[in-house]
């Protein structure tokens, strides 16, 4: 674990939400508020007031939250490109995009690529998706099922980014949730799109007559999702900012490594069942927010994530490893008595585990 004590008093002073985002999401096919599920047995076991899980296993007809960011970023980018108002419908935007010959280009470890492909299908435009060589055929096929062209590169996720950039230089629109120098506008719109999940969560807690969230636990890949969580729950408008805990596989701890070094530090990642978190470089636009606002960065082992996933499945929560990892992180933090006390995890706490993906196949870790 990496602890940043100064994060407890840091506040995000910029805008943490865009009022146009939620109405846009509500206009999409299959929109519904995803469940916020209480886990009272886990809360009692850990000595906490409330533990709840935000289940993103059926978000807008897809088994992960990524469509929230992908749909909004593509919508904004295309309305600007086609000189349409932000209130343009999918049909209006699709007609204009096809007239412009738009082709969407991205890379993915699974859920992001499928989300971009789904948006391309809604709009009736082409999508080319680059994927790392460790991606299984079943995941590739799910992306192809949306009508996209899938290209497997001879390398890891970071290498697939290079190939996507090369393809976009031929005229395609690069749609990424990770940023680098000179490419930050679309990733920021992605972050805006993710906020819908958080505003839903706040309303659900209120409807359940539960106090506002005190501790948020978010999985980290490139960092855009954790950026959204940190911006929202460290907003200067809040009376009491929340504690932000991030989680990564111990074989792909790019954020934790960067926090320890004090700068973005690319790493070589290893195998993990948490495919969507297997990223070696933190997004540049996410970095400053995460560096200042993340209270604790936690790494977890695949076998522990697998065991916690099995427990959640007994609770009728059919999520995948990236979703279960947030529970593993909470247990690890609570298992450290000193850290638990410093973070104020007690009987007054309201902890939300953000479970970002639905059930999927993976190779069970050795020793399980």
């Amino acid at each position: 674990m990496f602890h940043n004590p100064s994060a407890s008093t840091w506040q995000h002073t910029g805008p943490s939400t865009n009022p146009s985002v939620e109405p846009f999401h509500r206009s999409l096919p299959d929109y519904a508020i995803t469940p916020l599920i209480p886990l009272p047995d886990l809360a009692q076991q850990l000595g906490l007031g409330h533990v709840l899980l935000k289940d993103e296993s059926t978000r807008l007809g897809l088994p992960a939250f990524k469509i929230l960011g992908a749909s909004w970023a593509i919508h904004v980018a295309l309305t600007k490109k086609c000189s349409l108002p932000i209130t343009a419908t999918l049909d209006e935007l699709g007609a204009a995009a096809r007239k412009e010959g738009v082709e969407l280009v991205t890379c993915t470890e699974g859920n992001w690529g499928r989300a971009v492909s789904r948006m391309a299908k809604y709009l009736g435009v082409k999508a080319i998706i680059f994927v790392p060589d460790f991606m299984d055929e079943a995941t590739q096929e799910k992306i192809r099922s949306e009508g996209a062209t899938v290209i497997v590169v001879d390398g890891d996720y970071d290498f697939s980014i290079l190939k996507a950039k090369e393809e976009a230089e031929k005229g395609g629109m690069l749609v990424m949730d990770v940023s680098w120098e000179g490419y930050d506008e679309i990733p920021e719109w992605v972050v805006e799109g993710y906020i819908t999940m958080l505003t839903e969560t706040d309303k659900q807690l209120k409807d359940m007559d539960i106090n506002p969230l005190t501790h948020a636990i978010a999985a980290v890949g490139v960092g855009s999702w954790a950026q959204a969580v940190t911006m929202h729950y460290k907003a200067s408008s809040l009376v009491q900012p929340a504690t932000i805990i991030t989680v990564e596989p111990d074989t792909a701890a790019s954020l934790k490594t960067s926090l320890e070094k004090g700068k973005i530090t690319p790493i070589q990642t290893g195998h993990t069942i948490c495919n969507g978190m297997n990223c070696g470089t933190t997004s540049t636009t996410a970095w400053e927010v995460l560096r200042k606002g993340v209270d604790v960065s936690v790494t977890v082992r695949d076998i522990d994530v697998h065991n916690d996933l099995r427990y959640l499945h007994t609770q009728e929560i059919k999520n995948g490893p990236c979703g279960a990892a947030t529970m593993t992180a909470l247990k690890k933090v609570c298992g450290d008595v000193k850290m638990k006390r410093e973070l104020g995890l007690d009987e007054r706490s309201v902890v939300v585990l953000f479970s970002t993906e639905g059930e999927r196949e993976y190779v069970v870790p050795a020793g399980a």
Side-chain angles (χ1 to χ4, degrees):
M1 286 185 281
F2 175 86
H3 183 206
N4 176 20
S6 67
S8 64
T9 56
W10 181 78
Q11 293 182 322
H12 176 66
T13 55
S16 60
T17 188
N18 181 330
S20 299
V21 177
E22 274 197 82
F24 165 73
H25 284 143
R26 287 196 293 269
S27 75
L28 294 177
D30 300 311
Y31 173 77
I33 295 174
T34 54
L36 182 65
I37 304 168
L39 295 170
D41 291 345
L42 181 63
Q44 184 177 32
Q45 174 191 334
L46 299 178
L48 305 174
H50 295 277
V51 177
L52 306 100
L53 182 142
K54 181 66 166 167
D55 182 5
E56 292 291 301
S57 59
T58 53
R59 173 61 78 176
L60 290 166
L62 291 177
F65 80 114
K66 294 282 190 177
I67 186 67
L68 290 173
S71 62
W72 176 248
I74 292 167
H75 180 77
V76 177
L78 288 181
T79 55
K80 290 180 179 293
K81 180 178 179 64
C82 300
S83 301
L84 290 173
I86 200 68
T87 53
T89 66
L90 282 179
D91 288 343
E92 291 168 341
L93 193 58
R98 291 191 297 274
K99 187 176 180 180
E100 291 278 346
V102 167
E103 180 178 86
L104 303 181
V105 178
T106 194
C107 67
T108 186
E109 290 174 318
N111 291 321
W112 174 257
R114 190 174 178 191
V116 170
S117 301
R118 174 65 62 91
M119 194 62 180
K121 183 162 70 171
Y122 286 155
L123 297 168
V125 301
K126 295 179 180 178
I128 297 179
I129 316 295
F130 290 85
V131 303
D133 57 10
F134 59 73
M135 182 182 288
D136 59 90
E137 183 61 34
T139 302
Q140 293 178 40
E141 191 53 42
K142 287 176 181 175
I143 299 171
R144 292 191 189 97
S145 73
E146 304 292 341
T149 298
V150 175
I151 299 176
V152 182
V153 305
D154 186 21
D156 61 9
Y157 176 77
D158 283 357
F159 186 66
S160 71
I161 292 177
L162 295 177
K163 291 300 180 181
K165 288 164 71 174
E166 290 175 4
E167 181 68 27
E169 287 169 1
K170 301 175 185 177
M173 176 180 281
L174 188 63
V175 183
M176 299 289 296
D177 62 347
V178 59
S179 63
W180 51 83
E181 187 174 352
Y183 183 80
D184 54 21
E185 199 169 38
I186 285 178
E188 289 286 20
W189 294 332
V190 171
V191 172
E192 277 190 349
Y194 289 155
I195 299 294
T196 289
M197 194 205 306
L198 307 177
T199 53
E200 282 182 5
T201 300
D202 297 341
K203 293 171 186 173
Q204 287 171 302
L205 287 171
K206 187 174 182 179
D207 290 344
M208 297 165 75
D209 200 26
I210 296 175
N211 288 334
L213 174 157
T214 62
H215 296 75
I217 306 187
V220 175
V222 295
S224 296
W225 162 236
Q227 177 190 354
V229 174
T230 306
M231 288 168 54
H232 186 73
Y233 289 114
K234 296 280 190 178
S236 57
S237 58
L238 294 175
V239 175
Q240 182 60 52
T243 297
I244 308 300
I245 300 169
T246 60
V247 58
E248 298 172 285
D250 58 6
T251 55
S254 55
L255 175 61
K256 179 172 175 286
T257 300
S258 296
L259 290 172
E260 290 170 342
K261 299 286 187 181
K263 62 180 181 179
I264 295 177
T265 306
I267 64 167
Q268 187 71 41
T269 65
H271 171 77
T272 174
I273 61 173
C274 301
N275 292 353
M277 298 155 71
N278 193 357
C279 303
T281 307
T282 301
S283 175
T284 56
T285 50
W287 170 242
E288 284 303 310
V289 171
L290 300 178
R291 181 180 69 84
K292 296 173 182 176
V294 170
D295 294 270
V296 177
S297 171
V298 181
T299 61
V300 293
R301 303 185 307 160
D302 276 2
I303 191 166
D304 295 326
V305 172
H306 169 72
N307 290 334
D308 289 332
L309 179 145
R310 291 177 62 192
Y311 168 77
L312 289 168
H313 284 202
T314 68
Q315 305 301 301
E316 302 304 319
I317 298 170
K318 302 300 184 182
N319 58 357
C322 292
T326 53
M327 174 180 165
T328 309
L330 176 61
K331 289 170 62 179
K332 185 170 183 177
V333 170
C334 288
D336 184 320
V337 176
K338 183 174 182 289
M339 185 66 70
K340 183 181 180 184
R341 183 174 61 251
E342 289 183 3
L343 296 181
L345 283 160
D346 55 31
E347 66 281 354
R348 296 166 295 179
S349 298
V350 177
V351 182
V352 174
L353 311 175
F354 288 101
S355 176
T356 53
E357 68 172 358
E359 183 178 14
R360 61 174 173 80
E361 294 182 5
Y362 62 88
V363 177
V364 174

